[in-house]
């Protein structure tokens, strides 16, 4: 059944399966891949390259400004780790620390050190370890491999969440720090939490207080795939070593494609079936596009050409088409697969501009490579 816009909302799409929506850009990644008109294809490539070159320059400028902001205001030299509750001028408005932003920042410092010549300095490595050591000492609970989600500035635990998002980013930080420093303690922690996350992905019930079996969540699977990709990109041998784990998560992500490839649902039952509830009809375009980008990256690392074609069509082109607000522009935050009122009141908020640019940039890069 096609997605329909409910009365009073911007017209999203009259028929999702067609992959074309009024008001959306005519050039799609699939068209670029499959076009038989070589001259037209080259013209469209040149047009996109101009746009992407400008975008790349902007992103490089923003990266430099973000790192400079971190260097100036977030580093906690007294207690280690990073302060993340910062105002625009760098003023600290809360000293509570959170595992996810600390792990993301430690991962980014390490990734920049490992992959970008301009950041391969002793200072960047020290700043990465500032976060890594705090994560190990105060965020990771070694007896069960859980991670506290919130910690005081000094390192006392405050709360732990009933999901494994913190553990995903902890694992990413540990592996990237290991690739940068070659220190065994980072690898050991990363390996331990990675195995725990994979177990929780297959059965999240130990983390949740639920009477019935937990539903399969696209967001939860996306976290696992994000973690595996981060591990494999730093060491290509991991693509082979984690072959079964990649296969499992990709298989279960593809189960979220329903209605003859017309929709990618956010949640399905633990048996892989569609849920006949408002939550079961929910489509979150940003999550679908992001998962599509990660699947493309995996298809590139593992040389899965058929997967790449399916992902480009279903996760990228179709999703971009149906979620584009043809009246006002931008990607809608949430949709209902039956065209009813979206479950979330923030469905019309536009929060995916930059994310979508990056996802399309990566999609084009993978396509042309």
């Amino acid at each position: 059944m096609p997605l329909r816009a409910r009365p009073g909302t911007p017209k999203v799409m009259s028929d999702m399966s067609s992959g074309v929506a009024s008001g959306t850009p005519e050039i799609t990644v699939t068209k670029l891949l499959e076009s038989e008109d070589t001259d037209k294809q080259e013209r469209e490539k040149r047009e996109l390259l101009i746009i992407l070159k400008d975008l790349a320059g902007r992103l490089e400028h923003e990266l430099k400004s973000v790192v400079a902001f971190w260097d100036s205001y977030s580093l906690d030299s007294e207690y280690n780790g990073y302060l993340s509750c910062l105002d625009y001028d760098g003023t600290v408005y809360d000293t509570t620390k959170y595992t996810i932003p600390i792990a993301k920042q430690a991962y980014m410092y390490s990734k920049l050190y490992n992959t970008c010549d301009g950041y391969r300095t002793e200072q960047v490595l020290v700043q990465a370890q500032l976060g890594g050591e705090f994560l190990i000492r105060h965020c990771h609970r070694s007896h069960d491999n859980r991670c506290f989600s919130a910690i005081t500035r000094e390192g006392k635990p405050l709360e732990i969440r009933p999901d494994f998002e913190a553990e995903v980013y902890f694992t990413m930080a540990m592996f990237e720090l290991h690739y940068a420093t070659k220190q065994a303690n980072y690898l050991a922690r990363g390996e331990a939490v990675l195995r725990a996350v994979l177990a929780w992905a297959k059965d999240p019930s130990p983390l949740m207080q639920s009477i019935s079996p937990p539903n399969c969540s696209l967001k939860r699977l996306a976290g696992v795939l994000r973690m595996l990709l981060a591990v494999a990109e730093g060491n290509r041998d991991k693509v082979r070593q984690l072959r079964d784990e990649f296969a499992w998560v990709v298989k279960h992500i593809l189960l979220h494609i329903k209605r003859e490839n017309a929709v990618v649902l956010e949640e399905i039952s633990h048996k892989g079936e569609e849920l006949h509830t408002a939550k079961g009809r929910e489509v979150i375009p940003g999550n679908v596009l992001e998962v599509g980008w990660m699947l493309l990256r995996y298809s590139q690392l593992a040389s899965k050409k058929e997967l790449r074609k399916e992902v480009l069509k279903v996760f990228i082109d179709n999703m971009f088409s149906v979620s584009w607000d043809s009246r006002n522009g931008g990607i809608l935050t949430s949709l209902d697969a039956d065209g009813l009122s979206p479950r979330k009141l923030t469905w019309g908020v536009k929060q995916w501009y930059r994310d979508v640019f990056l996802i399309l940039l990566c999609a084009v890069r993978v396509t042309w490579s």
Side-chain angles (χ1 to χ4, degrees):
M1 183 175 182
L3 276 178
R4 302 188 309 272
R6 68 183 180 90
T9 65
K11 184 176 186 297
V12 178
M13 188 175 181
S14 59
D15 187 352
M16 184 171 184
S17 62
S18 69
V20 179
S22 174
T24 58
E26 293 183 359
I27 299 175
T28 66
V29 178
T30 301
K31 285 183 179 180
L32 281 174
L33 184 66
E34 298 177 348
S35 174
E36 296 180 359
D37 187 338
T38 305
D39 292 337
K40 182 180 179 182
Q41 190 178 40
E42 289 302 317
R43 286 196 305 272
E44 291 179 343
K45 280 187 178 182
R46 285 194 295 269
E47 291 172 11
L48 269 177
L49 281 172
I50 293 172
I51 296 171
L52 296 177
K53 185 177 180 180
D54 176 66
L55 176 60
R58 295 185 189 184
L59 293 175
E60 185 176 2
H61 172 76
E62 289 201 19
L63 174 62
K64 290 179 179 178
S65 67
V66 168
V67 173
F69 186 84
W70 284 349
D71 294 347
S72 300
Y73 303 112
S74 76
L75 306 180
D76 188 351
S77 56
E78 186 175 357
Y79 294 104
N80 284 351
Y82 316 118
L83 297 164
S84 55
C85 296
L86 305 172
D87 217 329
Y88 288 101
D89 61 357
T91 301
V92 179
Y93 60 83
D94 187 351
T95 59
T96 303
K97 291 176 178 175
Y98 300 91
T99 295
I100 291 175
I102 291 174
K104 285 182 176 181
Q105 191 166 336
Y107 169 80
M108 279 304 301
Y109 273 133
S110 304
K111 189 72 171 179
L112 290 170
Y113 178 85
N114 289 331
T115 60
C116 300
D117 291 337
Y119 293 94
R120 196 167 291 125
T121 67
E122 187 64 25
Q123 178 186 351
V124 171
L125 189 58
V126 168
Q127 290 168 180
Q129 291 180 283
L130 191 72
E133 292 306 312
F134 188 88
L135 288 169
I136 288 176
R137 292 177 187 175
H138 303 298
C139 301
H140 179 226
R141 203 163 65 180
S142 58
H143 72 273
D144 62 358
N145 287 313
R146 293 303 319 270
C147 288
F148 299 107
S149 54
I151 315 98
T152 66
R153 183 184 180 190
E154 299 80 8
K156 295 179 181 179
L158 294 176
E159 64 181 34
I160 194 165
R161 290 175 15 176
D163 58 45
F164 51 76
E165 188 175 9
E167 287 81 1
V168 162
Y169 286 105
F170 177 91
T171 302
M172 292 169 61
M174 290 298 107
F175 271 94
E176 204 62 39
L177 277 160
H178 168 68
Y179 297 147
T181 65
K182 310 305 180 189
Q183 291 184 17
N185 63 322
Y186 292 130
L187 178 61
R189 298 277 181 150
E191 290 277 10
V193 180
L194 181 144
R195 293 299 166 190
V197 169
L198 290 170
W200 294 325
K202 295 176 181 179
D203 179 16
S205 57
L207 310 180
M208 308 169 69
Q209 294 181 349
S210 178
I211 297 175
S212 58
N215 295 329
C216 296
S217 163
L218 187 65
K219 181 179 179 180
R220 202 156 55 227
L221 292 169
V224 179
L225 182 56
R226 182 183 296 110
M227 175 186 70
L228 292 174
L229 284 171
V231 171
E233 285 180 340
N235 179 357
R236 296 301 175 85
D237 288 341
K238 290 289 186 181
V239 178
R240 176 180 52 80
Q241 295 170 12
L242 296 170
R243 178 176 61 246
D244 292 342
E245 289 79 1
F246 270 115
W248 181 87
V249 72
V250 170
K251 173 186 174 182
H252 283 78
I253 285 174
L254 297 181
L255 290 177
H256 286 253
I257 302 174
K258 299 299 182 184
R259 307 186 186 193
E260 298 181 350
N261 296 334
V263 66
V264 183
L265 298 173
E266 185 63 22
E267 288 202 8
I268 56 177
S269 76
H270 68 284
K271 295 181 178 180
E273 300 167 347
E274 187 171 340
L275 299 167
H276 300 290
T277 62
K279 194 173 184 179
R281 295 192 304 270
E282 187 173 33
V283 178
I284 301 180
N287 287 353
V288 176
L289 289 165
E290 187 177 24
V291 170
W293 160 68
M294 289 189 285
L295 287 171
L296 284 178
R297 184 64 183 128
Y298 168 66
S299 73
Q300 188 179 39
L301 290 172
S303 301
K304 304 281 187 180
K305 292 184 179 180
E306 290 305 313
L307 175 64
R308 181 186 70 167
K309 291 180 180 179
E310 182 178 8
V311 170
L312 285 172
K313 181 177 180 181
V314 178
F315 284 81
I316 304 297
D317 283 346
N318 280 10
M319 195 70 257
F320 183 65
S321 294
V322 302
S323 61
W324 184 261
D325 182 346
S326 58
R327 182 182 300 172
N328 301 304
I331 298 293
L332 296 170
T333 297
S334 180
L335 300 171
D336 183 282
D338 286 345
L340 303 173
S341 295
R343 191 172 66 91
K344 295 182 178 179
L345 296 178
T346 55
W347 65 269
V349 175
K350 308 293 173 58
Q351 59 184 32
W352 296 105
Y353 279 108
R354 193 164 303 170
D355 306 67
V356 170
F357 275 132
L358 288 169
I359 290 164
L360 292 178
L361 176 63
C362 293
V364 171
R365 179 183 177 187
V366 169
T367 301
W368 290 349
S369 66

